[in-house]
Amino acid sequence: MFGEGNSPVRAPERPLVDPFGRAITYLRVSVTDRCDFRCVYCMAEDMTFLPKNEVLSLEEIDRIASAFVRRGTRKLRLTGGEPLVRRGIIDLVNNLGRHLKTGALEELTLTSNGSQMARHAEALFAAGVRRVNISIDTLDAEKFARITRWGRLPQVLDGIAAATAAGLKVKLNTVALAHENADEIEALMQFAAAGGHDLTLIETMPLGEIGEDRVDQYLPLSRVRHDLAQRYTLTDLPHRTGGPARYVHVEELGLQLGFITPLTHNFCESCNRVRLTATGQLFMCLGQEDQADLKTVIRRTGTDDAAIDAALDEAISRKPKGHDFVIDRRGARPAVARHMSLTGG
Ligand code: SAM
Ligand code: SF4
């Protein structure tokens, strides 16, 4: 059994709490900067990936993630790049699954493009994963190939079906793109509802140079929501995740629909999360450059828990109050230079 409420949760001895009183309970880990797709809003087609020795080993990821769990992290999300293209990923998930069994961790999950999901869904379930996010921006095969450059729609549809068949609850993630899928949002909602999935729409974020005009692609979700409200009954749902998502129930479809709007809403006051890059840099805020170099700490101090604890304390003491994302309407330069695939979406 995977700690599903049968063992009482013990509070961590030394919880990580930032200077603004926010407990850090959610860690997102980018396990690789590599990917088998090249989505237009995420990567340039000729991306240069990191040398392997700069990327954390699976053991190093486990050590850092486990230190966070010891200090009160309840939810761990593996992302990337594409987490399922990392060799040995299932070993990592199996190892991290031990924290589910003790009840220290409430949820181990991942965000995937779905391309390798059919191969791994059953192993993920066996390791204790119960929910996954799968990204899909369109149901049109040609458009899908254009947006992802290297991806093919049937692979991802198979991945969604395999995850569902394995018992995983699937949430679909769709980046809202003014010229690509603005007219397809309802079709995606119907597809999600028919499959029993939730759907979350994401506003494009200005992360990294990608050789595309972001202002051109930017579709404000406030407008999408306004348009949907003309045709559907949208009821606000109270549940919040400590992140930038807001949820509504779409009565007519029986669908839970999320909106992630980092540019138009301020969600920072309830932020409970930090992000670990594939190279072991801890970003305390998605929209700021400040970071802590945990790779150097663990490579220098080996298995010394006190050293990593001290590094976590120091890093969290620097978590900023909020972010300053902006899509610069003149230059359309990214507000933050690193790519989403490095930090983890
Ligand atoms: N490869 C996996 C995937 O595509 O789901 C995980 C990593 S990806 C960086 C995580 C999420 O970030 C995806 O849903 C993707 O669509 C989204 N994303 C990537 N670049 C983005 C950007 N510039 N703005 C908003 N969302 C973005
Ligand atoms: Fe790869 Fe995900 Fe980025 Fe697309 S959004 S290029 S699938 S990491």
Side-chain angles (χ1 to χ4, degrees):
M1 270 309 284
F2 287 100
E4 284 158 3
N6 40 9
S7 50
V9 177
R10 266 193 301 136
E13 273 170 31
R14 293 180 51 216
L16 281 171
V17 179
D18 80 0
F20 304 98
R22 297 170 297 191
I24 306 307
T25 55
Y26 183 6
L27 175 69
R28 297 168 86 103
V29 181
S30 175
V31 298
T32 177
D33 64 327
R34 286 158 205 260
C35 186
D36 52 350
F37 290 5
R38 291 289 181 281
C39 301
V40 292
Y41 46 74
C42 180
M43 292 191 184
E45 187 154 20
D46 58 346
M47 282 290 285
T48 310
F49 293 109
L50 296 160
K52 289 235 163 70
N53 65 347
E54 282 188 29
V55 174
L56 292 178
S57 68
L58 296 176
E59 292 72 24
E60 288 170 334
I61 293 173
D62 188 298
R63 269 207 69 217
I64 297 176
S66 298
F68 270 98
V69 172
R70 197 170 67 237
R71 301 293 304 276
T73 284
R74 302 282 296 144
K75 182 168 171 179
L76 205 53
R77 177 178 296 281
L78 306 182
T79 175
E82 172 48 40
L84 295 181
V85 303
R86 173 94 197 236
R87 189 173 307 189
I89 184 70
I90 297 299
D91 297 335
L92 175 68
V93 176
N94 273 324
N95 285 338
L96 292 172
R98 71 189 184 278
H99 300 303
L100 294 168
K101 289 185 183 145
T102 65
L105 193 62
E106 196 175 292
E107 182 167 52
L108 174 59
T109 182
L110 76 171
T111 300
S112 167
N113 66 20
S115 68
Q116 312 295 317
M117 188 58 80
R119 278 204 291 144
H120 293 307
E122 287 182 3
L124 292 173
F125 188 88
V129 175
R130 291 293 175 266
R131 299 198 302 162
V132 290
N133 289 0
I134 298 182
S135 303
I136 184 166
D137 298 335
T138 174
L139 295 168
D140 174 310
E142 264 178 43
K143 245 193 239 180
F144 190 90
R146 190 162 68 228
I147 295 172
T148 62
R149 293 199 187 101
W150 295 5
R152 296 297 171 260
L153 181 64
Q155 269 179 294
V156 175
L157 295 179
D158 286 353
I160 294 169
T164 309
L168 298 168
K169 172 84 180 149
V170 176
K171 180 159 79 73
L172 303 177
N173 278 346
T174 298
V175 174
L177 300 164
H179 303 300
E180 294 286 10
N181 63 12
D183 58 349
E184 247 196 287
I185 303 286
E186 283 191 68
L188 284 156
M189 288 166 60
Q190 281 157 5
F191 172 78
H197 315 301
D198 297 336
L199 174 69
T200 293
L201 305 175
I202 308 175
E203 249 172 28
T204 52
M205 286 183 260
L207 295 176
E209 287 289 359
I210 49 159
E212 297 265 333
D213 188 340
R214 291 182 196 280
V215 173
D216 203 42
Q217 292 206 12
Y218 180 59
L219 171 62
L221 288 183
S222 51
R223 194 194 307 156
V224 174
R225 185 181 166 145
H226 177 266
D227 291 350
L228 287 175
Q230 313 303 308
R231 289 190 297 285
Y232 294 96
T233 317
L234 308 181
T235 313
D236 280 311
L237 293 174
H239 100 262
R240 301 269 282 262
T241 58
R246 298 288 173 271
Y247 296 93
V248 297
H249 186 252
V250 184
E251 302 289 339
E252 290 78 359
L253 298 175
L255 173 74
Q256 179 173 302
L257 179 66
F259 298 90
I260 299 192
T261 55
L263 302 175
T264 50
H265 285 274
N266 199 322
F267 55 87
C268 304
E269 71 285 350
S270 61
C271 183
N272 59 357
R273 60 196 57 194
V274 290
R275 290 175 167 78
L276 183 69
T277 68
T279 54
Q281 315 301 307
L282 186 74
F283 281 90
M284 284 68 84
C285 171
L286 181 61
Q288 303 260 7
E289 298 285 2
D290 193 28
Q291 47 156 297
D293 179 6
L294 298 185
K295 178 176 69 183
T296 300
V297 174
I298 54 168
R299 289 195 179 169
R300 206 178 43 216
T301 61
T303 54
D304 179 358
D305 281 348
I308 193 162
D309 269 345
L312 297 192
D313 284 327
E314 191 281 327
I316 299 309
S317 76
R318 284 192 274 135
K319 186 168 163 64
K321 195 165 179 202
H323 67 59
D324 6 271
F325 269 133
V326 63
I327 286 193
D328 179 337
R329 287 185 187 281
R330 289 146 302 156
R333 295 190 56 73
V336 172
R338 63 184 186 275
H339 286 94
M340 181 76 114
S341 48
L342 175 65
T343 326

